[in-house]
Amino acid sequence: MNLVTTFTFLLLLSLNQILADEKVRYDNFQVYRLTPRSQKAVQALRELEENGYDFWTSVRGVNQPVDVMVPPHYKHRFNDFIRLNEFDAQIYIPDVQKLIDNERPQTRKSVGLEWTDYHTLDEINDWLKDLASTNDNIELVTAGKTYEGRDILGVKVSFKAGNENRTVFIESNIHAREWISSAVTTWMLNEILTSKDSEVRQVAESHDWYFVPVFNPDGFVYTHTTDRLWRKTRVPYSSCYGADPNRNWDYHFNDGGASPSPCSETYCGPKAFSEPTTKSLSEFITTIAPKLQAYIAFHSYSQLLLLPYGYTSKHLENYQELYDVGVKAATSLAKRYGTKYEVGNIVDVLYVASGGSMDWVKGTFGTRITYTYELRDTGRYGFVLPPDQIIPTAEETFDSLVTILQEFDKS
Ligand SMILES: *[C@@H]1O[C@H](CO)[C@@H](O)[C@H](O)[C@H]1NC(C)=O
Ligand SMILES: [Zn+2]
């Protein structure tokens, strides 16, 4: 190497170091709520979605609001875009970085989980291991392995023999940035173990449970170390990292509402189960599938209780009973804090989205109870829900989960 190339090499090396160490910042990034008032405006939004803007919710149709994050250096371009098309536009989040700063975990006072803060993967896994080692009813399970070599940990909870065919599987944080989802499911796990409420005890002890709080550990770690708003896996593809792990399951794979482009937030991956994370999770779920009574997935945000399927608007299998119980669940969810949920199948309420885990479970095994929650809120904080909302969100969500299982146990 001559002097110049050596210098360039060192410069690149140190740049890489900076890039590797530094957290992505979202100073003055704004989240707009846009409501398209014409088909042309909807089309313009779809084109924008392909152009690298981060859509926090997906484009649905005329008069259906959508949340999109706008970087400060795009602001003028974006304002032109709004003016050229027929939209109602509001700024919902004036500065995304401010929300992220407010959410920053406090210094921990004690070991174990507290639901006044969000936790790292290590903290969650240590808690799971501790539960399993100190409690006869709990077994630590490895439910899969990620691209970066992490174990995907969960627990099996069983209070007594004879519940095996009434197994409830709880999934969360398949989308890395949806931190509230694993905060809620770990709180619910704790409640199942410790609640003294008689109705909760009845539901808890008459089922076997699997909790796998972080379905996408590589992405989740990345949201803590580097980019709070990361969604996908961390598998490197040609031009971008990661596939959407909830578009990668082998049931109607890439059959609408998924993108073939590696840089898209909804990239389905080069083929079904291309991601080691989803492939190994699917193998684990297959081993317990005959026992599953319920499969319930947790996402954020939008306050929706969703039923299969995501690939078709047809109301298949036990749509009606899932819908009827879903409405009762939404009623009990609203009781505590008045939080309103909409209930319906994915395509009716949201949009076509194929290759999701719930579709795969339902379509492959015919599991009777299948729901996907989109938790709080409706966009004021979006993915960056303040930690003081963790417990209220968990309480109301658990109320509705208890209702679901009670209702199905009646029939
Ligand atoms: C669970 O279901 C399997 C298969 O149908 C059956 O063989 C087993 O006896 C059931 N277990 C209980 C406890 O009912
Ligand atoms: Zn999600």
Side-chain angles (χ1 to χ4, degrees), residues 149-167:
R150 294 185 177 89
D151 284 335
I152 305 172
L153 295 187
V155 289
K156 179 188 177 186
V157 182
S158 180
F159 290 97
K160 57 176 194 273
N163 287 340
E164 74 242 34
N165 292 334
R166 295 154 55 75
T167 295

Side-chain angles (χ1 to χ4, degrees), residues 146-273:
T146 71
Y147 175 77
E148 290 176 350
R150 294 185 177 89
D151 284 335
I152 305 172
L153 295 187
V155 289
K156 179 188 177 186
V157 182
S158 180
F159 290 97
K160 57 176 194 273
N163 287 340
E164 74 242 34
N165 292 334
R166 295 154 55 75
T167 295
V168 179
F169 193 104
I170 303 288
E171 168 204 311
S172 47
N173 246 157
I174 195 170
H175 288 140
R177 62 190 174 187
E178 297 165 8
W179 284 6
I180 186 61
S181 64
S182 58
V184 161
T185 58
T186 50
W187 186 93
M188 296 197 302
L189 168 56
N190 188 57
E191 202 65 8
I192 281 167
L193 299 174
T194 61
S195 172
K196 299 200 163 49
D197 180 277
S198 61
E199 284 188 54
V200 171
R201 290 263 50 84
Q202 163 61 26
V203 166
E205 293 179 17
S206 59
H207 296 84
D208 280 358
W209 301 83
Y210 283 88
F211 280 82
V212 182
V214 182
F215 248 48
N216 175 9
D218 292 349
F220 187 71
V221 166
Y222 196 70
T223 62
H224 279 271
T225 59
T226 310
D227 183 352
R228 172 64 186 87
L229 296 176
W230 191 258
R231 166 183 167 96
K232 301 190 285 179
T233 66
R234 292 293 300 161
V235 177
Y237 286 107
S238 53
S239 39
C240 288
Y241 274 82
D244 182 337
N246 209 37
R247 299 290 185 282
N248 190 241
W249 296 66
D250 193 10
Y251 185 76
H252 287 267
F253 173 76
N254 196 13
D255 190 10
S259 171
S261 151
C263 295
S264 164
E265 292 289 353
T266 54
Y267 176 44
C268 55
K271 60 175 203 283
F273 291 144

Side-chain angles (χ1 to χ4, degrees), residues 69-350:
M69 184 167 70
V70 181
H73 50 285
Y74 283 4
K75 199 176 163 72
H76 295 297
R77 232 182 289 178
F78 190 76
N79 284 334
D80 288 344
F81 172 82
I82 293 175
R83 235 171 285 125
L84 286 170
N85 292 284
E86 294 156 70
F87 290 115
D88 290 349
Q90 282 171 284
I91 293 175
Y92 249 46
I93 301 179
D95 184 351
V96 172
Q97 186 62 42
K98 282 222 173 79
L99 295 191
I100 293 175
D101 290 343
N102 286 340
E103 176 192 61
R104 189 97 335 131
Q106 312 294 309
T107 347
R108 215 68 70 195
K109 291 147 229 108
S110 59
V111 289
L113 294 198
E114 294 161 47
W115 288 270
T116 48
D117 272 326
Y118 291 104
H119 291 273
T120 64
L121 183 71
D122 284 344
E123 287 164 348
I124 293 171
N125 284 346
D126 286 348
W127 181 69
L128 296 177
K129 288 176 196 164
D130 185 57
L131 285 180
S133 68
T134 56
N135 201 316
D136 288 342
N137 303 321
I138 304 177
E139 182 190 325
L140 190 70
V141 297
T142 302
K145 209 167 185 75
T146 71
Y147 175 77
E148 290 176 350
R150 294 185 177 89
D151 284 335
I152 305 172
L153 295 187
V155 289
K156 179 188 177 186
V157 182
S158 180
F159 290 97
K160 57 176 194 273
N163 287 340
E164 74 242 34
N165 292 334
R166 295 154 55 75
T167 295
V168 179
F169 193 104
I170 303 288
E171 168 204 311
S172 47
N173 246 157
I174 195 170
H175 288 140
R177 62 190 174 187
E178 297 165 8
W179 284 6
I180 186 61
S181 64
S182 58
V184 161
T185 58
T186 50
W187 186 93
M188 296 197 302
L189 168 56
N190 188 57
E191 202 65 8
I192 281 167
L193 299 174
T194 61
S195 172
K196 299 200 163 49
D197 180 277
S198 61
E199 284 188 54
V200 171
R201 290 263 50 84
Q202 163 61 26
V203 166
E205 293 179 17
S206 59
H207 296 84
D208 280 358
W209 301 83
Y210 283 88
F211 280 82
V212 182
V214 182
F215 248 48
N216 175 9
D218 292 349
F220 187 71
V221 166
Y222 196 70
T223 62
H224 279 271
T225 59
T226 310
D227 183 352
R228 172 64 186 87
L229 296 176
W230 191 258
R231 166 183 167 96
K232 301 190 285 179
T233 66
R234 292 293 300 161
V235 177
Y237 286 107
S238 53
S239 39
C240 288
Y241 274 82
D244 182 337
N246 209 37
R247 299 290 185 282
N248 190 241
W249 296 66
D250 193 10
Y251 185 76
H252 287 267
F253 173 76
N254 196 13
D255 190 10
S259 171
S261 151
C263 295
S264 164
E265 292 289 353
T266 54
Y267 176 44
C268 55
K271 60 175 203 283
F273 291 144
S274 58
E275 309 306 282
T277 297
T278 54
K279 182 171 196 304
S280 57
L281 280 166
S282 75
E283 288 162 359
F284 178 77
I285 294 166
T286 300
T287 64
I288 57 168
K291 305 182 218 166
L292 284 185
Q293 182 195 19
Y295 187 95
I296 308 201
F298 291 85
H299 289 248
S300 70
Y301 59 94
S302 287
Q303 294 174 197
L304 307 170
L305 184 55
L306 301 169
L307 330 174
Y309 284 91
Y311 79 91
T312 176
S313 61
K314 292 208 184 88
H315 294 170
L316 296 175
E317 291 147 20
N318 61 337
Y319 169 87
Q320 197 57 47
E321 70 169 352
L322 285 171
Y323 180 81
D324 293 344
V325 171
V327 168
K328 288 181 182 163
T331 302
S332 70
L333 191 148
K335 270 197 189 121
R336 230 178 246 266
Y337 300 109
T339 310
K340 288 203 172 66
Y341 268 60
E342 201 180 328
V343 183
N345 99 328
I346 293 178
V347 179
D348 291 345
V349 175
L350 277 179

